[in-house]
Amino acid sequence: MVGNSQLIEHYRQAHASRVYGTSSVKYLRYLRPEIGILRPRSVLDYGCGQSRFVDMLEIGYPLEVLRYDPAIPQYATPPAQPADLLINIDVLEHIEEHDLDAVLAHMRSLCRHAIIIVDTKASNHMLADGRNAHVSLHPHAWWQARIEKHFGPVRRIATPRSSRAGFATWQLAPRQRLARLVARARETGAYCARRAVGRHKTAWKDSTTHNVD
């Protein structure tokens, strides 16, 4: 297990006592186009929390979904084999800076490609010791440089808010960039249609009622 054991225990208690760590489903419409272009056969949600993100991808073909989170006992064992794609959403800002390289190296060992999104703003939550829950706060460029130490050149990807730094670890050919634009337009159209009838938050609300077994 990599990372600060006291912080992991804090989040273990949080997950055991309440609905926590479900927000990554808000990224579905941004990340489905990226994932659809890559066409992985296996996806690992690293630091999954209680999120249903990997269950809700619906990218049109059978997909092996995997989860890892040291703060949730049933997901605390990492997979034995690397996944085609690792997803890491709003996790790294919760890792103390002196542990980041170890965590990133662990992530790299578990995947062929990765999508990594980091929140660059302070959290609304505080730790028991009085620190902000986002113990590693840095700008987009800092995170890019740190991630590239382990994954090589990355490209920035769209996220719901400008405070989120989003990166993909593979590059796109011109034809793939066009296909991604078409897929993003389709996702945006579907989202706007749901918003028009007040259903745009359905996935988010459903995820908050999900109980981890």
Side-chain angles (χ1 to χ4, degrees):
M1 183 182 298
V2 294
N4 184 310
S5 60
Q6 292 181 327
L7 279 179
I8 291 171
E9 179 58 29
H10 168 83
Y11 290 112
R12 183 180 291 120
Q13 293 179 17
H15 286 299
S17 62
R18 65 186 188 276
V19 175
Y20 186 82
T22 64
S23 64
S24 63
V25 297
K26 295 187 292 184
Y27 294 84
L28 280 166
R29 70 186 180 99
Y30 292 88
L31 300 189
R32 257 194 296 250
E34 302 286 349
I35 297 169
I37 295 297
L38 184 65
R39 293 190 65 80
R41 290 296 173 180
S42 56
V43 175
L44 168 62
D45 191 345
Y46 187 106
C48 60
Q50 298 175 35
S51 174
R52 296 177 60 204
F53 180 92
V54 288
D55 297 318
M56 300 169 69
L57 273 175
E58 299 176 355
I59 55 176
Y61 62 86
L63 184 68
E64 181 184 12
V65 298
L66 306 163
R67 294 174 174 82
Y68 172 69
D69 196 314
I72 299 182
Q74 60 267 45
Y75 302 144
T77 301
Q81 300 296 326
D84 289 337
L85 176 64
L86 177 147
I87 304 288
N88 183 253
I89 301 176
D90 291 351
V91 173
L92 291 181
E93 65 270 19
H94 295 274
I95 308 298
E96 290 176 311
E97 188 171 339
H98 56 75
D99 289 321
L100 279 173
D101 283 323
V103 172
L104 284 164
H106 189 228
M107 290 165 55
R108 184 68 187 92
S109 73
L110 293 175
C111 68
R112 296 177 179 87
H113 301 287
I115 289 175
I116 301 171
I117 298 176
V118 190
D119 195 346
T120 65
K121 289 183 64 178
S123 172
N124 293 325
H125 301 284
M126 306 299 289
L127 300 174
D129 61 10
R131 289 183 296 166
N132 191 272
H134 291 174
V135 292
S136 289
L137 287 173
H138 302 283
H140 292 54
W142 188 96
W143 282 110
Q144 180 169 346
R146 197 64 173 259
I147 292 166
E148 287 182 337
K149 284 177 57 179
H150 298 270
F151 286 90
V154 301
R155 59 184 171 87
R156 296 194 181 190
I157 59 174
T159 62
R161 297 180 181 177
S162 60
S163 61
R164 261 58 169 195
F167 308 99
T169 63
W170 69 97
Q171 304 303 313
L172 296 178
R175 183 176 298 180
Q176 291 175 315
R177 289 196 290 269
L178 177 60
R180 183 191 58 178
L181 287 175
V182 171
R184 283 180 59 182
R186 185 164 54 244
E187 288 284 346
T188 299
Y191 173 79
C192 291
R194 292 193 302 271
R195 189 180 183 90
V197 295
R199 292 175 57 85
H200 59 295
K201 294 185 178 180
T202 299
W204 166 249
K205 291 179 179 178
D206 287 349
S207 73
T208 62
T209 62
H210 173 61
N211 293 317
V212 176
D213 296 332

Short mmCIF file of all heavy atoms in Angstrom, two decimals, residues 10-73:
data_model
loop_
_atom_site.label_atom_id
_atom_site.label_comp_id
_atom_site.label_asym_id
_atom_site.label_seq_id
_atom_site.Cartn_x
_atom_site.Cartn_y
_atom_site.Cartn_z
N HIS A 10 -8.29 7.82 7.53
CA HIS A 10 -9.30 8.88 7.56
C HIS A 10 -10.36 8.64 6.50
O HIS A 10 -11.57 8.72 6.77
CB HIS A 10 -8.63 10.24 7.34
CG HIS A 10 -9.59 11.36 7.07
ND1 HIS A 10 -10.24 12.05 8.07
CD2 HIS A 10 -10.04 11.89 5.89
CE1 HIS A 10 -11.04 12.96 7.53
NE2 HIS A 10 -10.94 12.88 6.21
N TYR A 11 -9.92 8.33 5.28
CA TYR A 11 -10.89 8.11 4.20
C TYR A 11 -11.61 6.78 4.34
O TYR A 11 -12.76 6.65 3.92
CB TYR A 11 -10.19 8.24 2.85
CG TYR A 11 -9.79 9.68 2.58
CD1 TYR A 11 -8.45 10.07 2.54
CD2 TYR A 11 -10.76 10.67 2.42
CE1 TYR A 11 -8.10 11.40 2.32
CE2 TYR A 11 -10.41 12.00 2.21
CZ TYR A 11 -9.09 12.35 2.16
OH TYR A 11 -8.74 13.66 1.97
N ARG A 12 -10.97 5.80 4.96
CA ARG A 12 -11.67 4.55 5.24
C ARG A 12 -12.86 4.80 6.16
O ARG A 12 -13.96 4.27 5.94
CB ARG A 12 -10.71 3.53 5.86
CG ARG A 12 -11.36 2.17 6.12
CD ARG A 12 -10.39 1.19 6.73
NE ARG A 12 -9.37 0.81 5.77
CZ ARG A 12 -8.07 0.99 5.92
NH1 ARG A 12 -7.62 1.58 7.02
NH2 ARG A 12 -7.22 0.61 5.00
N GLN A 13 -12.64 5.60 7.18
CA GLN A 13 -13.74 5.93 8.09
C GLN A 13 -14.82 6.75 7.40
O GLN A 13 -16.02 6.55 7.64
CB GLN A 13 -13.19 6.67 9.30
CG GLN A 13 -12.29 5.83 10.19
CD GLN A 13 -11.73 6.60 11.36
OE1 GLN A 13 -12.23 7.67 11.72
NE2 GLN A 13 -10.68 6.08 11.97
N ALA A 14 -14.41 7.67 6.53
CA ALA A 14 -15.38 8.48 5.79
C ALA A 14 -16.26 7.60 4.92
O ALA A 14 -17.49 7.76 4.89
CB ALA A 14 -14.65 9.52 4.94
N HIS A 15 -15.66 6.66 4.20
CA HIS A 15 -16.45 5.77 3.34
C HIS A 15 -17.36 4.87 4.15
O HIS A 15 -18.46 4.53 3.71
CB HIS A 15 -15.52 4.93 2.47
CG HIS A 15 -14.88 5.68 1.35
ND1 HIS A 15 -15.61 6.29 0.36
CD2 HIS A 15 -13.57 5.94 1.07
CE1 HIS A 15 -14.78 6.88 -0.50
NE2 HIS A 15 -13.55 6.69 -0.08
N ALA A 16 -16.91 4.46 5.32
CA ALA A 16 -17.71 3.55 6.15
C ALA A 16 -18.89 4.24 6.80
O ALA A 16 -19.88 3.59 7.15
CB ALA A 16 -16.82 2.92 7.23
N SER A 17 -18.83 5.57 6.94
CA SER A 17 -19.85 6.28 7.70
C SER A 17 -20.85 7.06 6.86
O SER A 17 -21.91 7.45 7.36
CB SER A 17 -19.18 7.24 8.69
OG SER A 17 -18.42 8.22 8.01
N ARG A 18 -20.53 7.29 5.58
CA ARG A 18 -21.45 8.11 4.78
C ARG A 18 -21.17 7.91 3.29
O ARG A 18 -20.18 7.27 2.91
CB ARG A 18 -21.30 9.59 5.12
CG ARG A 18 -19.94 10.21 4.78
CD ARG A 18 -19.87 11.64 5.28
NE ARG A 18 -18.70 12.36 4.84
CZ ARG A 18 -17.51 12.31 5.42
NH1 ARG A 18 -17.35 11.53 6.49
NH2 ARG A 18 -16.50 13.03 4.96
N VAL A 19 -22.06 8.44 2.46
CA VAL A 19 -21.83 8.45 1.02
C VAL A 19 -20.71 9.44 0.74
O VAL A 19 -20.79 10.61 1.10
CB VAL A 19 -23.11 8.83 0.25
CG1 VAL A 19 -22.81 8.96 -1.23
CG2 VAL A 19 -24.20 7.80 0.49
N TYR A 20 -19.66 8.97 0.10
CA TYR A 20 -18.48 9.80 -0.09
C TYR A 20 -17.72 9.31 -1.30
O TYR A 20 -17.62 8.10 -1.54
CB TYR A 20 -17.58 9.72 1.16
CG TYR A 20 -16.39 10.65 1.15
CD1 TYR A 20 -16.53 11.98 1.52
CD2 TYR A 20 -15.14 10.19 0.76
CE1 TYR A 20 -15.44 12.84 1.51
CE2 TYR A 20 -14.04 11.04 0.74
CZ TYR A 20 -14.21 12.36 1.12
OH TYR A 20 -13.12 13.21 1.11
N GLY A 21 -17.21 10.23 -2.10
CA GLY A 21 -16.38 9.84 -3.23
C GLY A 21 -17.18 9.35 -4.42
O GLY A 21 -16.80 8.37 -5.06
N THR A 22 -18.27 10.03 -4.75
CA THR A 22 -19.12 9.62 -5.88
C THR A 22 -19.08 10.60 -7.04
O THR A 22 -19.71 10.34 -8.07
CB THR A 22 -20.59 9.47 -5.42
OG1 THR A 22 -21.09 10.75 -5.01
CG2 THR A 22 -20.72 8.50 -4.26
N SER A 23 -18.37 11.70 -6.91
CA SER A 23 -18.54 12.81 -7.85
C SER A 23 -17.97 12.57 -9.23
O SER A 23 -18.26 13.33 -10.16
CB SER A 23 -17.93 14.09 -7.26
OG SER A 23 -16.53 13.94 -7.09
N SER A 24 -17.16 11.53 -9.42
CA SER A 24 -16.53 11.36 -10.73
C SER A 24 -17.52 11.08 -11.85
O SER A 24 -17.19 11.25 -13.03
CB SER A 24 -15.47 10.25 -10.69
OG SER A 24 -16.04 9.01 -10.39
N VAL A 25 -18.76 10.69 -11.53
CA VAL A 25 -19.75 10.47 -12.59
C VAL A 25 -20.05 11.76 -13.35
O VAL A 25 -20.51 11.72 -14.50
CB VAL A 25 -21.06 9.87 -12.04
CG1 VAL A 25 -20.81 8.49 -11.45
CG2 VAL A 25 -21.71 10.78 -11.02
N LYS A 26 -19.75 12.92 -12.77
CA LYS A 26 -19.95 14.19 -13.46
C LYS A 26 -19.04 14.34 -14.67
O LYS A 26 -19.26 15.19 -15.53
CB LYS A 26 -19.73 15.36 -12.50
CG LYS A 26 -20.74 15.43 -11.37
CD LYS A 26 -20.57 16.68 -10.55
CE LYS A 26 -19.28 16.67 -9.77
NZ LYS A 26 -19.15 17.87 -8.90
N TYR A 27 -18.01 13.51 -14.76
CA TYR A 27 -17.05 13.60 -15.85
C TYR A 27 -17.41 12.70 -17.03
O TYR A 27 -16.70 12.71 -18.04
CB TYR A 27 -15.65 13.21 -15.34
CG TYR A 27 -15.08 14.16 -14.32
CD1 TYR A 27 -15.41 14.04 -12.97
CD2 TYR A 27 -14.20 15.17 -14.70
CE1 TYR A 27 -14.88 14.90 -12.02
CE2 TYR A 27 -13.67 16.04 -13.75
CZ TYR A 27 -14.01 15.89 -12.42
OH TYR A 27 -13.49 16.76 -11.48
N LEU A 28 -18.48 11.95 -16.94
CA LEU A 28 -18.79 10.97 -17.98
C LEU A 28 -18.84 11.59 -19.37
O LEU A 28 -18.25 11.07 -20.32
CB LEU A 28 -20.12 10.28 -17.66
CG LEU A 28 -20.05 9.15 -16.63
CD1 LEU A 28 -21.45 8.79 -16.15
CD2 LEU A 28 -19.35 7.93 -17.21
N ARG A 29 -19.55 12.70 -19.52
CA ARG A 29 -19.72 13.25 -20.86
C ARG A 29 -18.44 13.86 -21.42
O ARG A 29 -18.30 14.04 -22.62
CB ARG A 29 -20.85 14.29 -20.88
CG ARG A 29 -20.57 15.60 -20.16
CD ARG A 29 -21.84 16.45 -20.14
NE ARG A 29 -21.67 17.72 -19.46
CZ ARG A 29 -21.47 18.88 -20.07
NH1 ARG A 29 -21.39 18.93 -21.39
NH2 ARG A 29 -21.35 19.99 -19.38
N TYR A 30 -17.48 14.14 -20.56
CA TYR A 30 -16.19 14.65 -21.01
C TYR A 30 -15.22 13.52 -21.37
O TYR A 30 -14.42 13.66 -22.28
CB TYR A 30 -15.55 15.53 -19.92
CG TYR A 30 -16.30 16.81 -19.68
CD1 TYR A 30 -17.35 16.86 -18.77
CD2 TYR A 30 -15.96 17.97 -20.36
CE1 TYR A 30 -18.05 18.03 -18.55
CE2 TYR A 30 -16.65 19.16 -20.14
CZ TYR A 30 -17.69 19.18 -19.24
OH TYR A 30 -18.40 20.34 -19.02
N LEU A 31 -15.32 12.41 -20.65
CA LEU A 31 -14.33 11.36 -20.81
C LEU A 31 -14.76 10.25 -21.75
O LEU A 31 -13.91 9.55 -22.32
CB LEU A 31 -13.97 10.77 -19.43
CG LEU A 31 -13.38 11.76 -18.43
CD1 LEU A 31 -12.86 11.03 -17.21
CD2 LEU A 31 -12.28 12.60 -19.05
N ARG A 32 -16.06 10.07 -21.96
CA ARG A 32 -16.50 9.02 -22.88
C ARG A 32 -15.90 9.19 -24.28
O ARG A 32 -15.47 8.20 -24.90
CB ARG A 32 -18.02 8.94 -22.94
CG ARG A 32 -18.59 7.77 -22.14
CD ARG A 32 -20.04 7.49 -22.47
NE ARG A 32 -20.91 8.58 -22.11
CZ ARG A 32 -21.80 8.54 -21.09
NH1 ARG A 32 -21.91 7.46 -20.36
NH2 ARG A 32 -22.56 9.58 -20.84
N PRO A 33 -15.85 10.42 -24.83
CA PRO A 33 -15.23 10.57 -26.16
C PRO A 33 -13.75 10.16 -26.18
O PRO A 33 -13.28 9.55 -27.15
CB PRO A 33 -15.40 12.06 -26.46
CG PRO A 33 -16.60 12.46 -25.68
CD PRO A 33 -16.50 11.67 -24.41
N GLU A 34 -13.02 10.48 -25.11
CA GLU A 34 -11.61 10.09 -25.04
C GLU A 34 -11.48 8.57 -24.98
O GLU A 34 -10.66 7.96 -25.69
CB GLU A 34 -10.95 10.71 -23.79
CG GLU A 34 -11.02 12.22 -23.71
CD GLU A 34 -10.06 12.91 -24.68
OE1 GLU A 34 -9.20 12.21 -25.26
OE2 GLU A 34 -10.17 14.13 -24.84
N ILE A 35 -12.30 7.96 -24.15
CA ILE A 35 -12.21 6.51 -23.95
C ILE A 35 -12.68 5.77 -25.20
O ILE A 35 -12.11 4.75 -25.60
CB ILE A 35 -13.03 6.10 -22.72
CG1 ILE A 35 -12.42 6.75 -21.46
CG2 ILE A 35 -13.08 4.58 -22.56
CD1 ILE A 35 -13.30 6.64 -20.23
N GLY A 36 -13.71 6.31 -25.86
CA GLY A 36 -14.21 5.69 -27.08
C GLY A 36 -13.18 5.65 -28.18
O GLY A 36 -13.12 4.70 -28.97
N ILE A 37 -12.33 6.67 -28.27
CA ILE A 37 -11.27 6.71 -29.27
C ILE A 37 -10.20 5.67 -28.94
O ILE A 37 -9.69 4.96 -29.83
CB ILE A 37 -10.64 8.11 -29.35
CG1 ILE A 37 -11.67 9.13 -29.86
CG2 ILE A 37 -9.40 8.11 -30.23
CD1 ILE A 37 -12.17 8.88 -31.25
N LEU A 38 -9.84 5.55 -27.68
CA LEU A 38 -8.79 4.60 -27.27
C LEU A 38 -9.26 3.15 -27.40
O LEU A 38 -8.47 2.28 -27.72
CB LEU A 38 -8.38 4.90 -25.83
CG LEU A 38 -7.23 4.06 -25.27
CD1 LEU A 38 -5.93 4.35 -26.03
CD2 LEU A 38 -7.04 4.33 -23.78
N ARG A 39 -10.54 2.89 -27.13
CA ARG A 39 -11.14 1.55 -27.18
C ARG A 39 -10.39 0.54 -26.30
O ARG A 39 -9.93 -0.52 -26.76
CB ARG A 39 -11.24 1.04 -28.62
CG ARG A 39 -12.22 1.82 -29.47
CD ARG A 39 -12.48 1.15 -30.79
NE ARG A 39 -13.14 -0.14 -30.63
CZ ARG A 39 -14.45 -0.31 -30.42
NH1 ARG A 39 -15.25 0.76 -30.31
NH2 ARG A 39 -14.95 -1.52 -30.31
N PRO A 40 -10.27 0.83 -25.01
CA PRO A 40 -9.64 -0.15 -24.11
C PRO A 40 -10.55 -1.35 -23.90
O PRO A 40 -11.77 -1.27 -24.06
CB PRO A 40 -9.49 0.65 -22.81
CG PRO A 40 -10.65 1.61 -22.85
CD PRO A 40 -10.80 1.99 -24.30
N ARG A 41 -9.95 -2.46 -23.52
CA ARG A 41 -10.72 -3.66 -23.16
C ARG A 41 -10.86 -3.80 -21.66
O ARG A 41 -11.70 -4.56 -21.18
CB ARG A 41 -10.06 -4.90 -23.76
CG ARG A 41 -10.16 -4.98 -25.28
CD ARG A 41 -11.62 -5.12 -25.70
NE ARG A 41 -11.77 -5.02 -27.15
CZ ARG A 41 -12.95 -5.11 -27.77
NH1 ARG A 41 -14.05 -5.26 -27.05
NH2 ARG A 41 -13.03 -4.99 -29.06
N SER A 42 -10.05 -3.07 -20.92
CA SER A 42 -10.14 -3.10 -19.45
C SER A 42 -9.87 -1.70 -18.92
O SER A 42 -9.02 -0.97 -19.44
CB SER A 42 -9.15 -4.10 -18.86
OG SER A 42 -7.83 -3.81 -19.28
N VAL A 43 -10.63 -1.31 -17.90
CA VAL A 43 -10.51 0.02 -17.29
C VAL A 43 -10.41 -0.15 -15.78
O VAL A 43 -11.25 -0.83 -15.16
CB VAL A 43 -11.70 0.93 -17.64
CG1 VAL A 43 -11.60 2.24 -16.89
CG2 VAL A 43 -11.75 1.20 -19.13
N LEU A 44 -9.41 0.47 -15.19
CA LEU A 44 -9.22 0.47 -13.75
C LEU A 44 -9.51 1.85 -13.19
O LEU A 44 -8.88 2.83 -13.60
CB LEU A 44 -7.77 0.07 -13.42
CG LEU A 44 -7.30 0.29 -11.97
CD1 LEU A 44 -8.11 -0.55 -11.00
CD2 LEU A 44 -5.81 0.01 -11.85
N ASP A 45 -10.47 1.94 -12.28
CA ASP A 45 -10.74 3.18 -11.56
C ASP A 45 -9.86 3.17 -10.31
O ASP A 45 -10.16 2.48 -9.33
CB ASP A 45 -12.22 3.28 -11.20
CG ASP A 45 -12.61 4.66 -10.70
OD1 ASP A 45 -11.71 5.45 -10.35
OD2 ASP A 45 -13.82 4.95 -10.64
N TYR A 46 -8.79 3.94 -10.34
CA TYR A 46 -7.79 3.97 -9.27
C TYR A 46 -8.16 5.09 -8.30
O TYR A 46 -8.19 6.25 -8.66
CB TYR A 46 -6.41 4.22 -9.88
CG TYR A 46 -5.24 4.12 -8.91
CD1 TYR A 46 -4.39 3.02 -8.95
CD2 TYR A 46 -4.97 5.12 -8.00
CE1 TYR A 46 -3.30 2.92 -8.09
CE2 TYR A 46 -3.89 5.04 -7.13
CZ TYR A 46 -3.06 3.94 -7.19
OH TYR A 46 -1.98 3.85 -6.33
N GLY A 47 -8.43 4.72 -7.03
CA GLY A 47 -8.97 5.67 -6.07
C GLY A 47 -10.45 5.86 -6.31
O GLY A 47 -10.95 6.98 -6.30
N CYS A 48 -11.14 4.75 -6.55
CA CYS A 48 -12.51 4.78 -7.04
C CYS A 48 -13.52 5.35 -6.06
O CYS A 48 -14.57 5.84 -6.46
CB CYS A 48 -12.95 3.37 -7.45
SG CYS A 48 -12.90 2.15 -6.11
N GLY A 49 -13.22 5.32 -4.75
CA GLY A 49 -14.23 5.73 -3.79
C GLY A 49 -15.49 4.89 -3.94
O GLY A 49 -15.43 3.68 -4.20
N GLN A 50 -16.64 5.52 -3.83
CA GLN A 50 -17.91 4.83 -4.00
C GLN A 50 -18.53 5.10 -5.38
O GLN A 50 -19.70 4.86 -5.61
CB GLN A 50 -18.89 5.28 -2.90
CG GLN A 50 -18.40 4.92 -1.50
CD GLN A 50 -19.32 5.47 -0.42
OE1 GLN A 50 -20.53 5.55 -0.59
NE2 GLN A 50 -18.74 5.86 0.70
N SER A 51 -17.70 5.59 -6.28
CA SER A 51 -18.21 6.02 -7.58
C SER A 51 -18.66 4.85 -8.44
O SER A 51 -18.09 3.76 -8.41
CB SER A 51 -17.12 6.79 -8.34
OG SER A 51 -17.54 7.09 -9.65
N ARG A 52 -19.69 5.09 -9.26
CA ARG A 52 -20.17 4.13 -10.25
C ARG A 52 -19.66 4.46 -11.65
O ARG A 52 -20.18 3.95 -12.64
CB ARG A 52 -21.70 4.12 -10.25
CG ARG A 52 -22.33 3.66 -8.93
CD ARG A 52 -23.84 3.77 -9.00
NE ARG A 52 -24.38 2.93 -10.07
CZ ARG A 52 -25.55 3.14 -10.67
NH1 ARG A 52 -26.28 4.19 -10.31
NH2 ARG A 52 -25.97 2.34 -11.62
N PHE A 53 -18.64 5.30 -11.74
CA PHE A 53 -18.16 5.79 -13.03
C PHE A 53 -17.95 4.66 -14.02
O PHE A 53 -18.45 4.70 -15.15
CB PHE A 53 -16.87 6.58 -12.83
CG PHE A 53 -16.29 7.14 -14.09
CD1 PHE A 53 -16.62 8.41 -14.51
CD2 PHE A 53 -15.41 6.40 -14.87
CE1 PHE A 53 -16.10 8.94 -15.68
CE2 PHE A 53 -14.89 6.91 -16.04
CZ PHE A 53 -15.23 8.19 -16.44
N VAL A 54 -17.18 3.63 -13.65
CA VAL A 54 -16.85 2.58 -14.61
C VAL A 54 -18.07 1.73 -14.98
O VAL A 54 -18.10 1.13 -16.05
CB VAL A 54 -15.70 1.67 -14.09
CG1 VAL A 54 -14.38 2.42 -14.12
CG2 VAL A 54 -15.99 1.15 -12.69
N ASP A 55 -19.07 1.69 -14.09
CA ASP A 55 -20.30 0.95 -14.41
C ASP A 55 -21.16 1.70 -15.42
O ASP A 55 -22.00 1.10 -16.09
CB ASP A 55 -21.13 0.71 -13.15
CG ASP A 55 -20.41 -0.15 -12.14
OD1 ASP A 55 -19.78 -1.14 -12.56
OD2 ASP A 55 -20.48 0.15 -10.93
N MET A 56 -20.98 3.01 -15.51
CA MET A 56 -21.86 3.85 -16.31
C MET A 56 -21.22 4.32 -17.61
O MET A 56 -21.78 5.15 -18.31
CB MET A 56 -22.28 5.08 -15.47
CG MET A 56 -23.03 4.68 -14.20
SD MET A 56 -23.28 6.06 -13.05
CE MET A 56 -24.44 7.06 -13.98
N LEU A 57 -20.07 3.76 -17.98
CA LEU A 57 -19.37 4.22 -19.18
C LEU A 57 -20.19 4.00 -20.45
O LEU A 57 -20.29 4.89 -21.30
CB LEU A 57 -18.02 3.52 -19.30
CG LEU A 57 -16.87 4.18 -18.57
CD1 LEU A 57 -15.62 3.34 -18.65
CD2 LEU A 57 -16.60 5.58 -19.13
N GLU A 58 -20.73 2.81 -20.64
CA GLU A 58 -21.61 2.51 -21.78
C GLU A 58 -20.97 2.98 -23.10
O GLU A 58 -21.50 3.83 -23.80
CB GLU A 58 -22.98 3.18 -21.59
CG GLU A 58 -23.71 2.69 -20.35
CD GLU A 58 -25.03 3.43 -20.11
OE1 GLU A 58 -25.32 4.38 -20.86
OE2 GLU A 58 -25.74 3.05 -19.18
N ILE A 59 -19.84 2.37 -23.44
CA ILE A 59 -19.13 2.80 -24.65
C ILE A 59 -19.36 1.86 -25.83
O ILE A 59 -18.68 1.96 -26.85
CB ILE A 59 -17.63 2.99 -24.39
CG1 ILE A 59 -17.00 1.72 -23.81
CG2 ILE A 59 -17.39 4.16 -23.48
CD1 ILE A 59 -15.50 1.84 -23.64
N GLY A 60 -20.32 0.95 -25.71
CA GLY A 60 -20.77 0.21 -26.88
C GLY A 60 -20.19 -1.17 -27.09
O GLY A 60 -20.47 -1.80 -28.11
N TYR A 61 -19.37 -1.66 -26.16
CA TYR A 61 -18.84 -3.01 -26.29
C TYR A 61 -18.47 -3.52 -24.89
O TYR A 61 -18.33 -2.72 -23.95
CB TYR A 61 -17.63 -3.04 -27.22
CG TYR A 61 -16.46 -2.21 -26.76
CD1 TYR A 61 -15.50 -2.71 -25.89
CD2 TYR A 61 -16.30 -0.89 -27.20
CE1 TYR A 61 -14.43 -1.95 -25.47
CE2 TYR A 61 -15.23 -0.12 -26.80
CZ TYR A 61 -14.29 -0.66 -25.93
OH TYR A 61 -13.23 0.11 -25.51
N PRO A 62 -18.32 -4.83 -24.73
CA PRO A 62 -17.99 -5.38 -23.41
C PRO A 62 -16.67 -4.82 -22.89
O PRO A 62 -15.69 -4.73 -23.62
CB PRO A 62 -17.90 -6.89 -23.66
CG PRO A 62 -18.72 -7.12 -24.87
CD PRO A 62 -18.53 -5.89 -25.73
N LEU A 63 -16.66 -4.45 -21.62
CA LEU A 63 -15.51 -3.81 -21.02
C LEU A 63 -15.27 -4.41 -19.63
O LEU A 63 -16.19 -4.49 -18.82
CB LEU A 63 -15.76 -2.30 -20.89
CG LEU A 63 -14.64 -1.43 -20.36
CD1 LEU A 63 -13.49 -1.37 -21.35
CD2 LEU A 63 -15.17 -0.01 -20.09
N GLU A 64 -14.04 -4.85 -19.37
CA GLU A 64 -13.71 -5.33 -18.04
C GLU A 64 -13.47 -4.13 -17.13
O GLU A 64 -12.63 -3.28 -17.43
CB GLU A 64 -12.46 -6.20 -18.07
CG GLU A 64 -12.09 -6.75 -16.70
CD GLU A 64 -10.79 -7.54 -16.71
OE1 GLU A 64 -10.07 -7.49 -17.73
OE2 GLU A 64 -10.49 -8.20 -15.70
N VAL A 65 -14.23 -4.04 -16.04
CA VAL A 65 -14.08 -2.91 -15.14
C VAL A 65 -13.43 -3.38 -13.84
O VAL A 65 -13.79 -4.42 -13.28
CB VAL A 65 -15.44 -2.22 -14.87
CG1 VAL A 65 -16.00 -1.66 -16.16
CG2 VAL A 65 -16.45 -3.17 -14.24
N LEU A 66 -12.48 -2.60 -13.38
CA LEU A 66 -11.70 -2.92 -12.19
C LEU A 66 -11.69 -1.71 -11.27
O LEU A 66 -11.81 -0.56 -11.72
CB LEU A 66 -10.27 -3.28 -12.58
CG LEU A 66 -10.11 -4.38 -13.63
CD1 LEU A 66 -8.71 -4.35 -14.21
CD2 LEU A 66 -10.41 -5.73 -13.01
N ARG A 67 -11.53 -1.97 -9.99
CA ARG A 67 -11.49 -0.88 -9.01
C ARG A 67 -10.34 -1.09 -8.04
O ARG A 67 -10.02 -2.22 -7.67
CB ARG A 67 -12.81 -0.83 -8.21
CG ARG A 67 -14.03 -0.46 -9.03
CD ARG A 67 -15.28 -0.59 -8.16
NE ARG A 67 -16.47 -0.12 -8.84
CZ ARG A 67 -17.17 -0.84 -9.72
NH1 ARG A 67 -16.80 -2.08 -10.01
NH2 ARG A 67 -18.25 -0.34 -10.29
N TYR A 68 -9.76 0.04 -7.62
CA TYR A 68 -8.77 0.00 -6.56
C TYR A 68 -8.93 1.23 -5.70
O TYR A 68 -8.99 2.36 -6.20
CB TYR A 68 -7.34 -0.04 -7.13
CG TYR A 68 -6.30 0.12 -6.05
CD1 TYR A 68 -6.08 -0.89 -5.10
CD2 TYR A 68 -5.55 1.29 -5.95
CE1 TYR A 68 -5.14 -0.73 -4.10
CE2 TYR A 68 -4.60 1.46 -4.95
CZ TYR A 68 -4.40 0.44 -4.02
OH TYR A 68 -3.48 0.60 -3.02
N ASP A 69 -9.02 1.01 -4.40
CA ASP A 69 -9.04 2.12 -3.43
C ASP A 69 -8.61 1.56 -2.09
O ASP A 69 -9.32 0.73 -1.50
CB ASP A 69 -10.43 2.75 -3.32
CG ASP A 69 -10.37 4.11 -2.63
OD1 ASP A 69 -9.70 4.22 -1.59
OD2 ASP A 69 -10.99 5.06 -3.14
N PRO A 70 -7.44 1.96 -1.58
CA PRO A 70 -6.95 1.41 -0.31
C PRO A 70 -7.83 1.75 0.88
O PRO A 70 -7.69 1.14 1.94
CB PRO A 70 -5.56 2.02 -0.17
CG PRO A 70 -5.61 3.27 -0.97
CD PRO A 70 -6.52 2.96 -2.14
N ALA A 71 -8.75 2.72 0.72
CA ALA A 71 -9.62 3.11 1.83
C ALA A 71 -10.94 2.34 1.84
O ALA A 71 -11.78 2.58 2.71
CB ALA A 71 -9.91 4.62 1.76
N ILE A 72 -11.14 1.44 0.88
CA ILE A 72 -12.34 0.61 0.85
C ILE A 72 -11.90 -0.84 0.86
O ILE A 72 -11.28 -1.31 -0.11
CB ILE A 72 -13.21 0.92 -0.39
CG1 ILE A 72 -13.64 2.39 -0.34
CG2 ILE A 72 -14.42 0.01 -0.44
CD1 ILE A 72 -14.55 2.81 -1.48
N PRO A 73 -12.17 -1.58 1.93
CA PRO A 73 -11.59 -2.92 2.09
C PRO A 73 -11.77 -3.84 0.89
O PRO A 73 -10.82 -4.54 0.49
CB PRO A 73 -12.31 -3.45 3.33
CG PRO A 73 -12.60 -2.22 4.14
CD PRO A 73 -12.94 -1.17 3.12
#
